[in-house]
Amino acid sequence: MNIFIALVHYPVYNKKGEVVVTSITTLDIHDIARTAKTYGISKFYILTPLLTQRELAQRILRHWIEGYGAEYNPTRRDAFLITSVAGGLGDIIEDIERSTGKTPKIIVTDARKFPDSISFNELKKELIKPYVFLFLFGTGWGLERGLIQRADYRLEPVEGITDYNHLPVRGAIAIIIDRLLGR
Amino acid sequence: MNIFIALVHYPVYNKKGEVVVTSITTLDIHDIARTAKTYGISKFYILTPLLTQRELAQRILRHWIEGYGAEYNPTRRDAFLITSVAGGLGDIIEDIERSTGKTPKIIVTDARKFPDSISFNELKKELIKPYVFLFLFGTGWGLERGLIQRADYRLEPVEGITDYNHLPVRGAIAIIIDRLLGR
């Protein structure tokens, strides 16, 4: 599989539209790791520039991979074996280049639609090309604009059937991955 | 919309295969309410026979509907306005009968496939018929067998593209609703 995903805690917006670092949510890690493992994602990166937050994430991963958790819940261990912590987007890109020999094409998602947004069907066709892809999923109130503009693809938003569009990030990621990679 | 969903905390299995009552997870309520609201579900029921657990859920709902939370986060309020707490399946069925005049057809989901499981495509065709439908989603290690056998439809499991199939209930519900009701 040629697909990587990252949960981005910086740079993202807060409620007021300021660029901030969001905190890691333990449950995000558990949920997204399981979803990634189910759909054959190569690696799930938790991206935060804060050292203490990265250490927290590492401690959680170690508990479930090597510690008591590995015995208590082996399926969680399997999901966490593809999960990794990174301090910056550059580190993630280098890590992917090291393991695949290719620079990943970057796909961003957002609750808004952009003039050049790509549809789910069109992106599905791209994903079978011989490239490597990295999805960036924003926490808080979404990815910083510059990150969105520099990406190779801007995926159209997930829309339900109402005007209400406030899916939790965990649910949105599950839906996006299922639409693009589900059988 | 003619579709109702319930998150079932009893009767479900624990890891050892015993029938138990699971505890309410606050985040399940938040996530599933938002997903339900996004896809136009009529009502989301949190089902538990334990009075103290129902009171806990009610307190959370009240905080976000009437309390400080309503002002702090209005989109959460909108999602919780379609969320309700119930002590038993009978109460839910009566509530649906009162509001729609119809007895709901019950759909269960499980990580296993049954000889008479219905596919997503087939169920999608059923859902446009002039019936009312109630989805039961199990917590813990899944819905008790009797509940599965008595249901009108057993939906085929969500499958990713690997043998690993341990989606979190929040993610599985998001995927199921999107597959059946998404645009």
Side-chain angles (χ1 to χ4, degrees):
Chain A
M1 172 70 84
N2 55 338
I3 296 172
F4 298 76
I5 67 175
L7 185 67
V8 178
H9 296 85
Y10 173 86
V12 294
Y13 294 109
N14 69 5
K15 201 181 169 184
K16 296 178 194 164
E18 299 157 341
V19 174
V20 294
V21 187
T22 54
S23 295
I24 283 177
T25 303
T26 307
L27 207 93
D28 283 351
I29 305 181
H30 288 279
D31 276 22
I32 299 167
R34 282 174 175 267
T35 303
K37 179 74 187 168
T38 301
Y39 287 86
I41 300 293
S42 296
K43 209 160 172 182
F44 160 42
Y45 296 95
I46 301 158
L47 171 56
T48 174
L50 299 182
L51 182 60
T52 49
Q53 288 276 296
R54 289 206 299 280
E55 285 171 349
L56 167 70
Q58 289 288 12
R59 262 207 312 281
I60 295 168
L61 295 182
R62 264 202 308 275
H63 171 76
W64 292 104
I65 290 174
E66 302 166 8
Y68 172 67
E71 199 181 317
Y72 176 76
N73 193 331
T75 66
R76 193 162 291 174
R77 178 171 189 270
D78 291 341
F80 281 173
L81 283 173
I82 61 156
T83 306
S84 189
V85 184
L89 185 54
D91 299 336
I92 294 177
I93 292 172
E94 275 177 30
D95 189 56
I96 295 173
E97 287 172 343
R98 260 197 306 273
S99 68
T100 68
K102 293 176 184 170
T103 301
K105 296 204 175 282
I106 293 182
I107 303 162
V108 293
T109 65
D110 197 79
R112 286 161 305 171
K113 191 164 185 159
F114 299 94
D116 62 350
S117 286
I118 188 168
S119 71
F120 280 90
N121 277 335
E122 286 163 21
L123 185 57
K124 218 167 161 165
K125 289 177 205 153
E126 292 295 303
L127 295 181
I128 54 176
K129 291 184 179 169
Y131 303 131
V132 165
F133 299 91
L134 170 62
F135 281 83
L136 303 182
F137 296 111
T139 56
W141 267 252
L143 294 169
E144 185 265 330
R145 198 164 304 124
L147 210 57
I148 290 180
Q149 284 165 352
R150 288 192 302 277
D152 297 292
Y153 305 94
R154 281 154 288 285
L155 177 60
E156 66 174 342
V158 173
E159 280 169 352
I161 56 170
T162 68
D163 289 341
Y164 184 91
N165 188 10
H166 304 278
L167 285 172
V169 67
R170 295 167 290 279
I173 293 175
I175 291 169
I176 290 168
I177 292 179
D178 182 64
R179 283 190 186 183
L180 294 169
L181 305 176
R183 274 196 185 113
Chain B
M1 173 69 84
N2 55 338
I3 296 172
F4 297 76
I5 67 174
L7 185 67
V8 178
H9 296 85
Y10 173 86
V12 294
Y13 294 108
N14 69 5
K15 202 181 168 184
K16 296 179 194 161
E18 299 156 341
V19 174
V20 294
V21 187
T22 55
S23 294
I24 283 177
T25 303
T26 308
L27 207 94
D28 282 351
I29 305 182
H30 288 279
D31 277 22
I32 299 167
R34 282 175 176 266
T35 303
K37 179 74 187 167
T38 301
Y39 286 86
I41 300 292
S42 296
K43 208 158 175 183
F44 160 42
Y45 297 95
I46 301 157
L47 172 57
T48 174
L50 298 184
L51 182 60
T52 50
Q53 288 276 296
R54 289 206 299 281
E55 285 170 349
L56 166 70
Q58 289 288 13
R59 263 207 312 281
I60 296 168
L61 296 183
R62 264 202 308 274
H63 171 76
W64 293 103
I65 291 174
E66 301 166 8
Y68 171 69
E71 200 180 315
Y72 176 76
N73 192 331
T75 65
R76 194 162 291 175
R77 177 171 189 272
D78 291 342
F80 280 173
L81 283 173
I82 60 156
T83 305
S84 189
V85 184
L89 185 55
D91 299 336
I92 296 178
I93 293 172
E94 275 177 30
D95 189 56
I96 295 174
E97 287 172 341
R98 260 196 306 274
S99 68
T100 69
K102 293 176 184 169
T103 301
K105 295 204 176 281
I106 293 182
I107 303 162
V108 293
T109 65
D110 198 78
R112 287 160 303 170
K113 192 165 185 160
F114 298 93
D116 62 348
S117 285
I118 187 168
S119 72
F120 281 90
N121 277 335
E122 287 164 21
L123 185 57
K124 218 167 161 165
K125 289 178 207 153
E126 293 295 303
L127 295 181
I128 53 176
K129 292 184 178 169
Y131 303 131
V132 166
F133 297 92
L134 169 63
F135 281 83
L136 303 182
F137 295 111
T139 56
W141 267 252
L143 293 170
E144 185 265 331
R145 199 162 305 124
L147 210 56
I148 291 180
Q149 284 165 350
R150 287 192 303 275
D152 297 292
Y153 304 94
R154 280 153 290 283
L155 177 59
E156 65 174 342
V158 173
E159 280 168 354
I161 56 170
T162 68
D163 289 340
Y164 183 91
N165 188 10
H166 303 279
L167 286 171
V169 67
R170 294 168 291 278
I173 292 175
I175 292 169
I176 289 169
I177 292 179
D178 182 65
R179 284 190 186 182
L180 293 170
L181 306 175
R183 273 191 185 116

